[in-house]
Amino acid sequence: MLAALGFCTIGGFLLLTMTKRVSVLVALVLTPVVTAVIGGYGDDLGPMALDGLSKVAPTGIMIAFAVLYFSLMIDAGLFEPLIRGILRIARRDPLRVTVGTAVLTICVALDGDGASTFLITVSALLPVYRRLGMSRLVLAGVVALGAGVMNLMPWGGPTARAAAALKLDTSDVITPLLPALAAGIAWVLLAAYFIGRRERRRLGTIAEPSEEVAVGDGPGTPRVAARAGTALTVFNLLLTVTLLVCLVLEVMPLPVLFVLAFVIALLVNHPGWEEQQALLEKHGNSVVLVTTMIFAAGVFTGILTGTGMIEKMAHAMVEVIPDSLGGHLPVLVAVTSMPLSLVFTPDAYYFGILPVLAGTADSFGTDPSEVARAAVLGQMTTGFPLSPLTASTFILVGMSGVQLGEHQRFIFRWAFGTTLVMTAAALLTGALPL
């Protein structure tokens, strides 16, 4: 019963959002509430939802101040040299910009953190896409592909979770997958090329406008002179670099770092009360759009977890595997792990489903490390930038200004292709058994 309700919740959510029946915010809250009431959990809805909200609260706080911080820096013109450099190298060619987006994302995502990758890359590249009139779906999709592959890093979420769940060393999981990682990176660059070529056909090579346009404005919009002087620009650059270093080194919790950095940047760039208030009012809408999605996702996962739907769904998935497929379980796990990222939270998959799958595989003589490698090839590696159960997904779509359902439809086949390419490479190199 609970497993069926869980699958109905996920299916209903995807149906409502991908067909645009309701907004993502409404679907995230409404679908689990309805199925929980049907399952007889109406009296416990409050505590379950509150538990889910408390778990995403740090992420919501971080995103709120991160959006404000990077919006302030964009207004101050900090990214103007980078934007002009990208346009110069790309020669205002949508194909070159798209491939450059993939390269930049792969480089930034070396820290293994999806949230910071989305914050940095989208903040830097969104003005370029606006300036050239390129689709924001292309930006969100290519960033998702690049960040997804690089999430396989040993210090990233999937590898760490898989190793912890099965009590393995991270080297047992990631080292044999290095050739597959290289193949995944190559596929992302190839996918970016094809996506960019399609965008080039749609737009053509954009001619240089007669007037400069402002960061964040559309083509042809007269430029407003940047208010930041040289000294202020240097300060903003040093502050941003310091912030990024502190994020990587985890000097403080991420929400605290962004709160402090934003307050300092606001005080230095806008010392007057009126200026500070004007900036908050200008970007308040963006903050609300992103953070409300994250808190709604907290309600969604809190109810699914609290009712036990996710646990029952995990057992139901394992029970349907026939004995004849036992020897091929790693391949089956690898191919299905990406779609399952749309159904299970990362913790539910790695700490709930993966141990059961590993135990099942062990009974067929398959090493648990092979199942762990199979799991990280799709679940969270290429699936997390599309999953409504991962908070960082809403950072990507919120900052890019795209709808989750449109983003999923646009990039799903390319992301699933990444899983298939990496799985094939893992099979060829012996990281997974044939």
Side-chain angles (χ1 to χ4, degrees):
M1 174 66 175
L2 281 178
L5 284 175
F7 287 117
C8 287
T9 303
I10 301 295
F13 168 80
L14 294 175
L15 179 64
L16 289 173
T17 55
M18 297 186 77
T19 59
K20 296 185 178 180
R21 298 290 183 182
V22 297
S23 69
V24 175
L25 178 66
V26 172
L28 280 170
V29 176
L30 188 62
T31 49
V33 167
V34 170
T35 52
V37 170
I38 293 174
Y41 291 91
D43 294 339
D44 301 318
L45 276 177
M48 289 187 296
L50 187 60
D51 182 60
L53 285 170
S54 64
K55 290 181 179 178
V56 300
T59 301
I61 295 169
M62 179 194 73
I63 298 311
F65 284 94
V67 169
L68 289 172
Y69 180 85
F70 285 111
S71 298
L72 187 157
M73 291 301 166
I74 290 174
D75 287 351
L78 177 63
F79 297 109
E80 269 293 324
L82 174 62
I83 294 166
R84 285 195 294 267
I86 293 173
L87 291 176
R88 190 180 305 114
I89 296 172
R91 300 174 188 172
R92 308 189 70 82
D93 182 354
L95 171 58
R96 291 172 179 261
V97 172
T98 306
V99 175
T101 299
V103 173
L104 180 62
T105 304
I106 289 169
C107 294
V108 174
L110 282 169
D111 68 350
D113 181 61
S116 61
T117 298
F118 297 152
L119 288 167
I120 295 168
T121 54
V122 175
S123 296
L125 294 172
L126 183 57
V128 176
Y129 277 71
R130 284 173 170 169
R131 186 170 296 186
L132 299 181
M134 293 178 63
S135 171
R136 297 182 184 184
L137 284 171
V138 172
L139 171 61
V142 174
V143 169
L145 290 178
V149 168
M150 298 308 291
N151 208 33
L152 194 64
M153 292 289 99
W155 46 87
T159 305
R161 284 187 178 95
L166 300 184
K167 298 178 176 58
L168 302 169
D169 290 334
T170 55
S171 60
D172 294 333
V173 180
I174 188 61
T175 302
L177 288 178
L178 290 178
L181 175 60
I185 293 173
W187 165 259
V188 168
L189 295 176
L190 183 64
Y193 172 81
F194 285 115
I195 294 171
R197 191 173 65 174
R198 184 172 59 188
E199 193 71 356
R200 176 201 272 173
R201 285 199 300 267
R202 187 178 72 87
L203 294 173
T205 300
I206 296 95
E208 187 74 30
S210 57
E211 294 183 72
E212 272 293 323
V213 293
V215 173
D217 293 339
T221 305
R223 176 175 172 77
V224 178
R227 290 172 292 177
T230 303
L232 192 54
T233 300
V234 171
F235 171 81
N236 288 336
L237 178 60
L238 292 175
L239 179 61
T240 302
V241 171
T242 301
L243 172 62
L244 297 179
V245 171
C246 290
L247 288 173
V248 173
L249 298 179
E250 299 183 357
V251 175
M252 292 183 184
L254 268 61
V256 177
L257 286 173
F258 273 109
V259 169
L260 292 176
F262 172 69
V263 170
I264 294 171
L266 182 63
L267 182 62
V268 174
N269 286 266
H270 304 281
W273 180 87
E274 293 83 2
E275 292 182 62
Q276 295 173 2
Q277 194 67 19
L279 183 132
L280 292 173
E281 291 176 357
K282 178 181 179 181
H283 299 292
N285 183 52
S286 299
V287 173
V288 171
L289 287 175
V290 178
T291 54
T292 51
M293 292 292 186
I294 291 173
F295 288 122
V299 174
F300 189 89
T301 55
I303 293 175
L304 284 180
T305 303
T307 56
M309 291 183 192
I310 286 185
E311 181 182 357
K312 295 299 182 182
M313 290 164 67
H315 287 294
M317 292 291 295
V318 174
E319 288 174 359
V320 300
I321 300 174
D323 292 342
S324 59
L325 292 178
H328 305 286
L329 196 56
V331 176
L332 181 64
V333 170
V335 173
T336 60
S337 59
M338 186 268 174
L340 288 179
S341 67
L342 303 178
V343 179
F344 296 103
T345 65
D347 288 339
Y349 184 86
Y350 285 106
F351 296 111
I353 297 178
L354 186 57
V356 180
L357 290 173
T360 304
D362 186 56
S363 65
F364 289 96
T366 301
D367 193 292
S369 63
E370 294 173 343
V371 180
R373 292 170 205 150
V376 300
L377 286 175
Q379 220 287 336
M380 285 296 288
T381 300
T382 54
F384 92 95
L386 290 83
S387 174
L389 305 180
T390 308
S392 58
T393 300
F394 295 99
I395 302 173
L396 176 61
V397 298
M399 294 192 69
S400 301
V402 300
Q403 294 293 324
L404 177 61
E406 292 179 343
H407 170 63
Q408 290 173 328
R409 288 196 301 272
F410 178 81
I411 207 64
F412 179 88
R413 56 177 179 152
W414 296 105
F416 192 47
T418 309
T419 295
L420 296 179
V421 168
M422 295 176 71
T423 299
L427 288 169
L428 292 173
T429 57
L432 294 182
L434 289 172

